[in-house]
Amino acid sequence: MPESEPSATSARFAVSDIHGHPDEFRSALQRKHLVDASGRWTGGTAQLYCLGDYFDRGTDGIAVIDLLIRLQQEAADAGGSVTALLGNHEVLALGMHRFGRQRIATAHGPRSFETSWSRNQGQASDQARLTDQHLDWLQRLPAMAKSGSDILLHSDISGYQEWGRDPHQVNAQVGVCLRSTSAETLWGLWSDLTRRRQFRGPAGSRTAKGFLAHFGGDRIVHGHSVIGEADGRPAMQNTKAESYAGGRVLAIDAGLSAGGPCLIVEL
Ligand SMILES: [Mn+2]
């Protein structure tokens, strides 16, 4: 998927970590007038960025990606866009499908996608309903996007820098891993994207500054780590995105799968 540059008049929105909750996602889109009551795109030229983790925890990840695939077409027809980025749970879904119980040698001992998938509340019904179209879509998901001066991605980690100089290079490199027939290669991607909170604290602020210098942006927008979770705040108290690191980073995962709202943030 090409990176999209917004026109001056197009509203831009971001959402993350839908985790198998299609009804909540659709209702949230409707409240922002991006879809109608039947779930059809009404956002016109608006740009919607979905920052990954469509699967697991909730019961219907397949319905989430079916909705995204349809909205991508409808938004494009209307002159808008829906960009779906890769989350670690999409890597997990692919790994479970492709390698299942296969034993994988890692620095921390033997592992398998099945064990991690099970621990992360993978849904057997999602795996059973994966079609070739879903698999093709999943293994082509970009890992990052640039919109204006925002860098959008799933995980709050600096490792994206090691995959390329710009989003195009990063997405190409991640794509090679995603389509790999090596369980170890796909495991490495899963493992990297599962880390978190690397932009937090004084060192994190410096990391964010370096990251933005590397990719040429003013702000990182991420999901993956639930707002307030590290402070022990219940997700149900989340009402808005959290800006931190001196405004260089915006966290938008309000913890839908932990009782929080499905937050759609206007950028
Ligand atoms: Mn995640």
Side-chain angles (χ1 to χ4, degrees):
M1 186 174 303
E3 314 168 46
S4 49
E5 286 295 327
S7 72
T9 54
S10 293
R12 299 179 303 134
F13 299 89
V15 61
S16 193
D17 295 78
I18 299 159
H19 279 303
H21 292 72
D23 297 340
E24 290 84 349
F25 179 38
R26 235 167 79 154
S27 297
L29 290 169
Q30 202 182 340
R31 284 194 294 277
K32 292 290 184 188
H33 309 291
L34 293 171
V35 303
D36 64 16
S38 63
R40 300 276 153 189
W41 179 259
T42 52
T45 60
Q47 300 177 350
L48 173 65
Y49 291 89
C50 305
L51 308 190
D53 280 4
Y54 312 114
F55 284 113
D56 306 338
R57 304 199 173 121
T59 57
D60 204 346
I62 293 291
V64 174
I65 67 172
D66 280 342
L67 178 58
L68 285 172
I69 290 168
R70 178 168 58 72
L71 290 178
Q72 286 185 319
Q73 187 59 56
E74 292 175 3
D77 290 346
S81 64
V82 173
T83 302
L85 300 183
L86 178 78
N88 51 315
H89 284 258
E90 284 66 66
V91 181
L92 189 57
L94 283 170
M96 177 62 189
H97 173 81
R98 203 175 291 157
F99 302 112
R101 290 183 193 176
Q102 183 176 321
R103 186 184 160 105
I104 302 166
T106 78
H108 306 287
R111 295 285 188 274
S112 78
F113 275 109
E114 187 188 49
T115 302
S116 284
W117 173 82
S118 181
R119 279 191 190 137
N120 283 276
Q121 298 170 59
Q123 305 289 311
S125 61
D126 283 340
Q127 284 288 314
R129 290 181 294 155
L130 279 172
T131 64
D132 288 347
Q133 186 202 10
H134 294 137
L135 293 165
D136 186 61
W137 186 83
L138 286 166
Q139 63 186 12
R140 291 174 193 281
L141 289 178
M144 70 190 307
K146 192 172 181 193
S147 172
S149 58
D150 285 334
I151 305 288
L152 301 117
L153 37 72
H154 178 69
S155 303
D156 41 342
I157 59 167
S158 60
Y160 292 86
Q161 289 177 109
E162 289 156 32
W163 296 325
R165 292 294 320 169
D166 55 43
H168 182 78
Q169 281 187 4
V170 169
N171 294 335
Q173 179 61 38
V174 169
V176 168
C177 296
L178 270 183
R179 295 184 286 274
S180 174
T181 54
S182 155
E184 284 74 16
T185 298
L186 196 62
W187 183 270
L189 182 59
W190 152 249
S191 176
D192 287 345
L193 289 175
T194 302
R195 299 173 205 283
R196 62 178 77 246
R197 281 193 265 283
Q198 293 180 357
F199 304 129
R200 295 279 178 180
S205 196
R206 284 192 296 278
T207 301
K209 193 174 179 180
F211 191 93
L212 289 167
H214 178 94
F215 287 114
D218 293 334
R219 184 170 67 165
I220 299 161
V221 182
H222 72 80
H224 186 54
S225 297
V226 178
I227 299 162
E229 193 175 57
D231 307 321
R233 198 171 70 233
M236 64 185 293
Q237 292 178 12
N238 285 330
T239 55
K240 59 182 174 57
E242 180 193 9
S243 177
Y244 65 98
R248 288 191 184 101
V249 188
L250 188 71
I252 69 162
D253 176 10
L256 174 59
S257 63
C262 183
L263 203 61
I264 298 184
V265 177
E266 184 156 6
L267 298 173

